[in-house]
Amino acid sequence: MLIQSKKELVICGDLKPDDVFFYYTTTGWMMWNFLVSGLTVGCTLVLYDGSPLRDPAYLWNLTDELGITIFGTSAKYIDHLSKVYVPRDKHLLRSLRQIYSTGSPLAPALYDYVYESIHPKVLLGSITGGSDICSLFAGMCTALPVYRGEIQCRMLGMAVESYTPTGTVNEPGEAGELVCTQPFPCMPLGFWPLPGYGEGEAEAAAQARFQQSYFPDGSSVWYHGDHVAVTRSRAGNGGGMIMLGRSDGVLNPGGIRFGSSEIYDVIDTCFSASTASADQTIIECLAVGQPIDMGTDERVLLFVKLLDGHVLSQELESKIKAEIRARRTPRHVPARIVQVSDVPYTLNGKRVEVPIKKIINGAAIASVNPATLRNPECLLEYTELGKALRAEVEKVPQ
Ligand SMILES: *[C@@H]1O[C@H](CO)[C@@H](O)[C@H](O)[C@H]1NC(C)=O
């Protein structure tokens, strides 16, 4: 872990002992470990664990007051901030050198927001990795340019590729599985109990689960479970990376595979509070696939949360479909758009597509650990919706 974090912070991030390194995170997220590694560089650390948007000025006041140079946060925070605040109008932000964003993909429009409304000259490092490796697969590099919507590069020493379903490296720009084809210093050895640390059977079961989770093709290639595209190499970056969501949350209607983020991007662009009228504002949304035709195909369901007191009109539904068709393809258009009172999120602000897909398809709520969700009470609504949605597609045998 120490070698890996030193590589990330010192070589890729160019952090120095005089940096004031800030993170908005809880101590239960790996970004806390990432932050604490700053001590090995000699940085001054600032941790904020709380509600960052009760007054959106707060963290930016803190930046000026403490001379924060590296500002780490979640994509979700930047997304929410972009709807309510322009830090550049109210704060000097002279000390700021880099902004890190993680937790979920950073939409292309938020790159514009960061450069236009926060600071024109920072390095915007969208970074991605995992709690399971407690480090990064792709992220920032101060020696490379930032391209809108792209993670700058694959991290030094990480043999990351986008794989096709048959386990070959994708062409640039093609979506596939995020894999790491070579071992790396902080690669986990297994699930607990590790070999030699447990009872025979429990130990064997843990290791079998570990193999299934990360090495599904039986080789030593690490499958992380993210759906990504590696872009064409530009300016020596060896190809940047675009995150398309969890690979187990990939949509596949009519055999056309795409990431749910392709739908979310359209919703963000056309129906956010800043671009749409109140009756057409979508605050949250979630897209999942539902099996149809006895599981040989699937249809896309899009759940939307509107502002309080608004109902999903025929007009809004048609408009959503029209925008998705125009900006993506007819294949991307959801078969059903359903209004919900809430969309579940993890504590880290990630949408929970896979559990919702399971619940819609009949799994019990007990299959989801409520402690991992910010708002587990909303799951019940999906159980009810699932019954109705399944009734729509289930053919009664003659
Ligand atoms: C931010 O700083 C301004 C100017 O000093 C002050 O008026 C405001 O109350 C501060 N806001 C917060 C949330 O700290």
Side-chain angles (χ1 to χ4, degrees):
M1 280 311 316
L2 190 58
I3 292 172
Q4 182 86 335
S5 19
K6 288 283 262 197
K7 173 202 75 183
E8 290 174 349
L9 298 183
V10 178
I11 304 181
C12 308
D14 195 27
L15 264 63
K16 302 262 167 58
D18 57 4
D19 272 309
V20 179
F21 184 15
F22 164 88
Y23 243 94
Y24 155 49
T25 176
T26 69
T27 54
W29 192 14
M30 65 152 281
M31 299 327 294
W32 181 79
N33 305 63
F34 187 73
L35 175 69
V36 165
S37 299
L39 291 177
T40 72
V41 183
C43 303
T44 302
L45 307 187
V46 181
L47 169 72
Y48 182 81
D49 177 4
S51 167
L53 284 163
R54 198 166 301 154
D55 185 333
Y58 185 76
L59 295 184
W60 304 101
N61 275 5
L62 209 60
T63 301
D64 280 342
E65 192 183 317
L66 303 176
I68 288 167
T69 59
I70 314 290
F71 186 101
T73 187
S74 63
K76 190 91 193 140
Y77 168 79
I78 297 177
D79 183 32
H80 281 166
L81 188 73
S82 73
K83 292 172 180 151
V84 295
Y85 201 59
V86 178
R88 214 183 155 180
D89 289 350
K90 304 261 173 55
H91 310 267
L92 294 171
L93 308 181
R94 274 202 201 110
S95 56
L96 212 53
R97 292 206 294 131
Q98 304 184 24
I99 296 179
Y100 296 157
S101 163
T102 191
S104 50
L106 186 67
L110 294 176
Y111 282 67
D112 304 334
Y113 167 74
V114 166
Y115 284 105
E116 285 162 13
S117 303
I118 302 180
H119 199 300
K121 286 195 176 151
V122 286
L123 177 130
L124 174 55
S126 173
I127 63 180
T128 186
S131 303
D132 15 29
I133 66 163
C134 202
S135 61
L136 307 179
F137 284 120
M140 72 292 191
C141 175
T142 54
L144 293 170
V146 175
Y147 294 107
R148 182 179 188 269
E150 279 184 30
I151 297 179
Q152 283 186 285
C153 62
R154 291 168 281 178
M155 297 305 273
L156 197 62
M158 301 296 280
V160 170
E161 301 288 357
S162 163
Y163 258 20
T164 65
T166 54
T168 57
V169 175
N170 264 316
E171 292 296 313
E174 293 290 323
E177 291 275 346
L178 189 164
V179 298
C180 194
T181 64
Q182 299 287 330
F184 44 94
C186 61
M187 197 163 187
L189 297 176
F191 288 150
W192 191 261
L194 290 173
Y197 288 87
E199 302 294 322
E201 236 169 73
E203 200 182 281
Q207 294 333 307
R209 235 173 350 103
F210 181 64
Q211 291 297 323
Q212 279 161 20
S213 304
Y214 295 106
F215 305 97
D217 73 1
S219 74
S220 59
V221 172
W222 176 279
Y223 279 69
H224 196 64
D226 280 325
H227 194 54
V228 301
V230 174
T231 59
R232 199 168 294 286
S233 180
R234 287 193 274 182
N237 71 354
M241 208 158 84
I242 297 176
M243 304 303 290
L244 301 164
R246 291 295 294 176
S247 55
D248 35 18
V250 164
L251 301 167
N252 195 12
I256 308 292
R257 287 169 68 88
F258 57 91
S260 48
S261 66
E262 297 186 39
I263 293 181
Y264 302 147
D265 283 348
V266 175
I267 302 293
D268 281 348
T269 307
C270 308
F271 302 96
S272 69
S274 52
T275 53
S277 57
D279 62 330
Q280 301 210 336
T281 296
I282 297 174
I283 320 174
E284 308 282 2
C285 63
L286 184 82
V288 299
Q290 180 190 13
I292 53 171
D293 299 339
M294 314 299 284
T296 58
D297 197 354
E298 71 174 32
R299 63 175 190 167
V300 176
L301 309 171
L302 177 67
F303 299 104
V304 295
K305 178 180 175 186
L306 308 182
L307 287 168
D308 275 350
H310 290 276
V311 289
L312 179 63
S313 61
Q314 195 62 54
E315 185 201 343
L316 177 55
E317 196 173 330
S318 307
K319 190 161 171 207
I320 296 171
K321 290 184 173 174
E323 290 289 359
I324 294 174
R325 183 175 291 115
R327 290 166 187 268
R328 293 294 180 262
T329 73
R331 283 292 189 192
H332 287 71
V333 176
R336 291 278 276 112
I337 302 179
V338 181
Q339 185 175 3
V340 288
S341 58
D342 206 1
V343 166
Y345 274 90
T346 65
L347 297 174
N348 300 339
K350 276 198 177 79
R351 287 184 177 90
V352 288
E353 294 172 343
V354 175
I356 288 300
K357 181 173 177 176
K358 286 187 188 153
I359 288 176
I360 290 297
N361 296 319
I365 287 188
S367 65
V368 182
N369 177 359
T372 60
L373 299 185
R374 189 184 290 168
N375 48 354
E377 58 289 346
C378 70
L379 296 179
L380 196 58
E381 180 176 12
Y382 292 86
T383 302
E384 293 306 316
L385 285 171
K387 284 180 199 155
L389 290 164
R390 289 199 302 282
E392 280 177 17
V393 300
E394 272 162 19
K395 295 204 175 67
V396 182
Q398 297 298 312

